[in-house]
Amino acid sequence: ITDRFDSLYKQADISVQVKNLLNERYAKDVSKKICSVMESMQKQGKFVGSKAPYGYLRDPMDKHHLVIDPEAAPIVRELFEMVAGGCTLHYAAVTMNDRGIPSPGRHNFDLGLVKSDKFKNSLWYQQTVRKILIDKTYLGWMIGGKYRSAFHRSGDKKSKAVPKEDWIIVENTHEPLIDRETFNKVQALAQQKSEQYFEKLGRFTHLEATENILKGLV
């Protein structure tokens, strides 16, 4: 309104066009500076996420440092011990639900870190357990740069996943919850089960493919 622009006529005063151009340049400049600061902090091993990983809390004295959550940390250790002892992810998730242990989403809701009611009664799932078991944060490492949003480069505001080899990893940034031997054992078991799963998938590849008799009917 103040720029005397009416989209009905799809013609803008030259001043509006110039202002839009300057605004976009300004937004890209801000994006570049923010990305630079974030990357610098990640390389220093500082936590820059919005919520601490399950099992940790933000240090009240330094929001970029993680401290152990006395309520959730024992659950993280137990999950690693269960799976390292041969339990499946499904069994671990069901056990947590049967014992009434709050899931990570429910735990954050109870702490007031998330407000959405969808987390109020959230449960443990296999994916929840898997996400915890592969997170090297529990080794005392800080993992950054998993996702990248660079409006100043591409003009796209959406975050995109970054290949693992390009992640920013800094060791010994906070107190670990899991020793490296246990962590590596869990990863080895997961790799073994994954290989067995894909091996089973090939059991019937020698058979001729036939058209589903229910195709087009169901």
Side-chain angles (χ1 to χ4, degrees):
I1 296 176
T2 57
D3 292 316
R4 306 182 302 281
F5 173 59
D6 189 343
S7 59
L8 178 63
Y9 300 101
K10 301 181 180 179
Q11 290 182 350
D13 185 87
I14 185 66
S15 63
V16 177
Q17 299 177 25
V18 172
K19 183 176 291 187
N20 287 338
L21 177 62
L22 292 176
N23 286 339
E24 184 175 2
R25 291 292 298 273
Y26 176 73
K28 288 188 175 182
D29 184 55
V30 171
S31 170
K32 184 177 181 180
K33 291 178 180 178
I34 291 176
C35 288
S36 178
V37 171
M38 294 285 282
E39 185 175 358
S40 176
M41 294 177 67
Q42 290 171 342
K43 289 181 178 179
Q44 295 175 42
K46 294 184 178 182
F47 178 73
V48 296
S50 58
K51 297 186 295 293
Y54 181 73
Y56 287 102
L57 296 171
R58 280 185 169 188
D59 189 338
M61 305 300 294
D62 180 4
K63 66 178 182 179
H64 299 300
H65 179 254
L66 297 178
V67 294
I68 290 179
D69 181 348
E71 293 184 18
I75 305 302
V76 173
R77 296 190 182 101
E78 185 176 358
L79 287 172
F80 272 90
E81 291 172 359
M82 290 175 65
V83 176
C87 295
T88 64
L89 302 185
H90 175 73
Y91 177 84
V94 170
T95 300
M96 293 294 116
N97 288 326
D98 289 345
R99 288 168 50 188
I101 304 296
S103 67
R106 169 69 183 276
H107 184 64
N108 285 332
F109 182 86
D110 293 341
L111 292 176
L113 299 177
V114 294
K115 305 297 182 181
S116 177
D117 287 339
K118 70 178 183 179
F119 296 106
K120 188 175 182 179
N121 297 307
S122 61
L123 300 173
W124 287 90
Y125 297 98
Q126 288 186 213
Q127 299 91 326
T128 313
V129 178
R130 181 182 291 107
K131 184 178 179 181
I132 291 174
L133 297 179
I134 64 174
D135 194 345
K136 293 183 178 180
T137 303
Y138 300 114
L139 289 173
W141 300 5
M142 192 63 68
I143 317 296
K146 292 182 179 181
Y147 297 89
R148 186 170 297 159
S149 176
F151 178 65
H152 66 279
R153 291 196 187 104
S154 61
D156 187 359
K157 297 181 181 179
K158 296 181 180 179
S159 296
K160 296 182 179 179
V162 175
K164 287 186 178 182
E165 56 269 20
D166 295 330
W167 288 0
I168 300 174
I169 301 177
V170 183
E171 299 184 17
N172 304 319
T173 59
H174 53 273
E175 186 175 351
L177 290 181
I178 305 299
D179 61 83
R180 192 169 301 191
E181 181 181 356
T182 302
F183 186 87
N184 290 339
K185 182 177 181 180
V186 170
Q187 308 316 306
L189 288 172
Q191 179 64 28
Q192 181 181 354
K193 290 181 180 180
S194 177
E195 292 175 353
Q196 291 174 349
Y197 170 77
F198 284 107
E199 184 178 347
K200 290 180 180 179
L201 286 181
R203 286 183 299 172
F204 305 106
T205 54
H206 65 285
L207 299 178
E208 182 181 354
T210 57
E211 186 175 9
N212 192 325
I213 61 173
L214 299 179
K215 184 178 180 180
L217 300 177
V218 177

